[in-house]
Amino acid sequence: MSLTRRKLLRLASGAAVALPVASALTGCQDEGGSTGALRKSRGKAPTPYKVPLPVPPVLKPSRTEGGVDYYDIVQKPAQVEIIPGTKTEIWGYNGLFPGPTLSTRSSRPIVVRHTNELEVPVAVHLHGGKTPPEHDGFPTDLILPRGGWDGHGHDGHGGDVSQGSREYRYPLQQPAATLWYHDHRMDFTGPQVYFGLAGFHLVHDDEEEALPLPKGDRDIPLMICDRSFTADGAFDYPSVDPALKGEHGVTEDFMEGVLGDVILVNGAPWPVLEVTNTRYRFRLLNASNARRYRLALDPGPQSGSAFVQVGSDVGLLGRPIGHDEIQMASAERFDVVVDFSKFPVGTKINMINKLDDGDTGKVMQFHVVRKASDESQVPSKLVDFEPLSRSSATVTRKFDFNQRSDDGWDINGQMYDPQRDDAVPELGATEIWRFDGDAHHPVHLHLAHFQVLSRNQNDPGSYDSGWKDTIDLQSGKEMEIIARFTGYRGRYVFHCHNLEHEDMGMMANFRVK
Ligand code: C2O
Ligand code: CU
């Protein structure tokens, strides 16, 4: 597809000219329950269940001043061993993939200074954060490379552009939750997250700490994603412009989404975690560009549920929920407890993905290696949870995530325009938003936390509980959420978190007034 044609259509969409979509619509490709196309690795695939699970290091503040913790992160390339015996270049926060974990306290503000030593512009978003707009990683608020930038056309779109570094302030006025931070560069989020720009940010508070949940080295974040590799071990992402300078997006075959054939957990292929026969808390994050998972344990426990969910995207649940399987779309988090005392010492338990067979049907392995004492419990009440009632909403809006054009994806028939406000909720308002979609579209709102009201005109599903920031909007289905626009005034994005859809237009703005 020619640059001019894409550019023209992009301009046309910005000017609200109808796109010639109807004739260009194609059926959506589905690979094992995910919207996307499989990119096959060309090298030799690693053998599942051989390497140990890495746990990303917790970042220490570089200084504390006036009750504010200051952190420094340098974004840079690094050579790491992902496939045993091979080096892969990653782009990492402090050269790590996943990036270092931030572990912070609710309502204790922090400042993170990001320095960009990569060769491309970046923007950093704290996913799930209640953050003032100028610190939210708006896609055009770029940090240009410290070494200079000669790219053109995508260097700002009128955003607030910084040279080399930028400070992000996070008030963190929100409860304990499993958040994550990742790149959000306009038009190029897909490749930049794929190359490694993602990490955990765990917010803690007194209420969470008072609960007898597993703690310390039995509280482990698990970032699950899929990647493909070239014959010499590089990440293989099908960008139109591999330099990420000119035309954005992926080659035609991958417009539905990029699916890899190697499953990584915390950056390691199908790793193994040795556990004691005790309870563990796992903070599951689907950080894949497009892949969905339905996680299960094999073998499962003789009695009770495999996973006891204690938290959702942006906080703890009111009460725990037992699941034998956990289905998760891109960007969703499930905070779960697994009780390994239900398995004899010596058992190897595979965490599998029931949406696929073969190696993408495998995720990681737990090996119960010894006995240990366990003081932890999952209490039947976790935190106070206030369900939002339909009648508290003052406005209802509708967004169709349902048109793929030749050149991208859109919401309500329009591709993203960073200058246009697609909704203007009032500060503090409660609103109902209705979504429908013709493919799997994980819908994510910045700033506003929400609850699911209905899924396909029925009650929400078992995976929809608690406070959310992303939902698994499924192919041909409808969903309603009820969102609270508390926090800050200003312009924020909402979008599909299939990163290929996001980069190719499936994003919109709301401006809190
Ligand atoms: Cu996790 Cu706007 O993104
Ligand atoms: Cu989508």
Side-chain angles (χ1 to χ4, degrees):
M1 185 179 313
S2 78
L3 175 66
T4 2
R5 184 140 176 272
R6 275 200 180 189
K7 278 259 162 76
L8 276 176
L9 281 164
R10 219 177 151 70
L11 288 172
S13 74
V17 171
L19 288 172
V21 281
S23 60
L25 282 174
T26 57
C28 77
Q29 268 169 283
D30 262 16
E31 275 278 337
S34 302
T35 293
L38 185 68
R39 179 85 160 169
K40 281 220 165 68
S41 289
R42 279 166 289 166
K44 192 172 161 287
T47 314
Y49 313 144
K50 292 289 178 214
V51 297
L53 174 82
V55 177
V58 173
L59 188 66
K60 295 208 169 60
S62 34
R63 67 194 159 97
T64 295
E65 238 177 73
V68 180
D69 296 319
Y70 289 80
Y71 294 87
D72 281 289
I73 292 180
V74 178
Q75 303 188 25
K76 57 185 181 190
Q79 301 286 328
V80 302
E81 187 170 315
I82 295 175
I83 299 174
T86 324
K87 292 282 183 214
T88 301
E89 178 173 302
I90 58 124
W91 296 356
Y93 296 114
N94 285 350
L96 301 172
F97 167 53
T101 298
L102 277 90
S103 175
T104 60
R105 298 292 303 180
S106 172
S107 295
R108 180 178 170 96
I110 67 162
V111 173
V112 186
R113 166 173 286 273
H114 277 271
T115 301
N116 180 7
E117 289 182 0
L118 297 165
E119 289 183 358
V120 294
V122 297
V124 186
H125 173 55
L126 175 58
H127 181 123
K130 278 212 164 278
T131 307
E134 63 276 27
H135 300 286
D136 195 51
F138 194 79
T140 56
D141 290 352
L142 301 171
I143 313 173
L144 299 186
R146 200 157 78 137
W149 171 245
D150 60 359
H152 47 83
H154 299 280
D155 51 0
H157 298 276
D160 173 20
V161 175
S162 329
Q163 300 288 336
S165 67
R166 182 181 181 109
E167 282 190 346
Y168 293 87
R169 298 187 155 258
Y170 301 110
L172 300 174
Q173 296 201 1
Q174 55 189 104
T178 303
L179 312 184
W180 62 302
Y181 63 105
H182 63 76
D183 192 67
H184 218 299
R185 176 186 169 198
M186 175 79 180
D187 292 342
F188 294 93
T189 295
Q192 299 195 171
V193 169
Y194 200 93
F195 292 141
L197 294 173
F200 281 101
H201 182 139
L202 310 179
V203 180
H204 300 283
D205 64 13
D206 297 345
E207 255 184 308
E208 179 207 26
E209 263 173 21
L211 293 171
L213 297 172
K215 291 188 170 67
D217 56 8
R218 295 185 193 159
D219 174 1
I220 302 177
L222 299 176
M223 179 188 287
I224 303 170
C225 61
D226 57 336
R227 295 290 184 269
S228 295
F229 295 84
T230 64
D232 39 4
F235 284 142
D236 192 10
Y237 187 85
S239 289
V240 174
D241 173 14
L244 310 184
K245 278 194 167 177
E247 190 180 358
H248 70 285
V250 288
T251 56
E252 194 75 48
D253 294 353
F254 292 93
M255 290 214 19
E256 310 286 336
V258 176
L259 304 176
D261 56 5
V262 175
I263 307 297
L264 305 179
V265 184
N266 292 348
W270 300 288
V272 182
L273 177 67
E274 294 191 342
V275 294
T276 54
N277 69 334
T278 58
R279 290 183 193 85
Y280 281 70
R281 178 176 179 187
F282 295 117
R283 297 150 179 277
L284 304 169
L285 157 66
N286 179 358
S288 308
N289 283 33
R291 186 177 288 283
R292 296 168 72 244
Y293 300 84
R294 191 185 299 148
L295 302 174
L297 297 182
D298 178 26
Q302 296 288 331
S303 62
S305 314
F307 305 100
V308 177
Q309 187 189 355
V310 296
S312 51
D313 297 335
V314 278
L316 291 163
L317 300 177
R319 297 177 167 279
I321 302 173
H323 300 278
D324 285 323
E325 296 173 353
I326 293 216
Q327 183 160 294
M328 52 191 323
S330 297
E332 284 190 299
R333 283 90 70 211
F334 286 84
D335 194 341
V336 301
V337 172
V338 175
D339 185 357
F340 292 108
S341 73
K342 292 179 176 172
F343 301 89
V345 170
T347 314
K348 291 181 172 171
I349 304 144
N350 297 339
M351 183 154 77
I352 57 171
N353 166 25
K354 292 182 98 175
L355 294 182
D356 280 279
D357 355 280
D359 280 350
T360 48
K362 304 182 172 104
V363 178
M364 68 176 287
Q365 186 176 74
F366 303 105
H367 186 187
V368 187
V369 289
R370 59 175 184 279
K371 294 196 164 142
S373 63
D374 189 2
E375 259 78 78
S376 76
Q377 276 176 43
V378 181
S380 57
K381 161 146 201 268
L382 296 164
V383 296
D384 289 326
F385 177 79
E386 179 204 353
L388 298 179
S389 73
R390 210 173 257 282
S391 59
S392 64
T394 48
V395 177
T396 300
R397 304 181 199 270
K398 180 151 179 17
F399 298 99
D400 296 330
F401 286 68
N402 63 2
Q403 279 183 323
R404 188 194 140 169
S405 71
D406 233 11
D407 297 273
W409 293 86
D410 40 52
I411 300 173
N412 282 351
Q414 289 183 301
M415 287 172 91
Y416 184 55
D417 174 353
Q419 316 286 355
R420 183 184 67 222
D421 290 327
D422 300 277
V424 187
E426 271 177 58
L427 183 66
T430 302
E431 299 196 350
I432 294 173
W433 285 22
R434 293 205 172 110
F435 304 119
D436 64 33
D438 63 344
H440 297 296
H441 296 295
V443 178
H444 168 49
L445 271 65
H446 287 212
L447 182 77
H449 296 170
F450 57 77
Q451 296 171 12
V452 178
L453 278 179
S454 72
R455 183 178 273 281
N456 215 23
Q457 280 138 23
N458 284 313
D459 288 342
S462 65
Y463 306 122
D464 296 329
S465 305
W467 286 100
K468 302 276 295 163
D469 61 43
T470 307
I471 47 160
D472 182 15
L473 178 64
Q474 295 179 23
S475 193
K477 304 285 167 73
E478 289 177 12
M479 287 186 85
E480 283 178 309
I481 61 161
I482 183 162
R484 262 197 187 154
F485 293 85
T486 53
Y488 309 91
R489 292 194 164 85
R491 189 181 270 166
Y492 293 90
V493 293
F494 65 104
H495 57 90
C496 178
H497 220 289
N498 173 317
L499 299 182
E500 284 68 51
H501 299 188
E502 174 186 342
D503 280 347
M504 288 178 284
M506 197 167 252
M507 180 151 67
N509 292 324
F510 63 88
R511 183 169 52 79
V512 180
K513 70 153 197 256

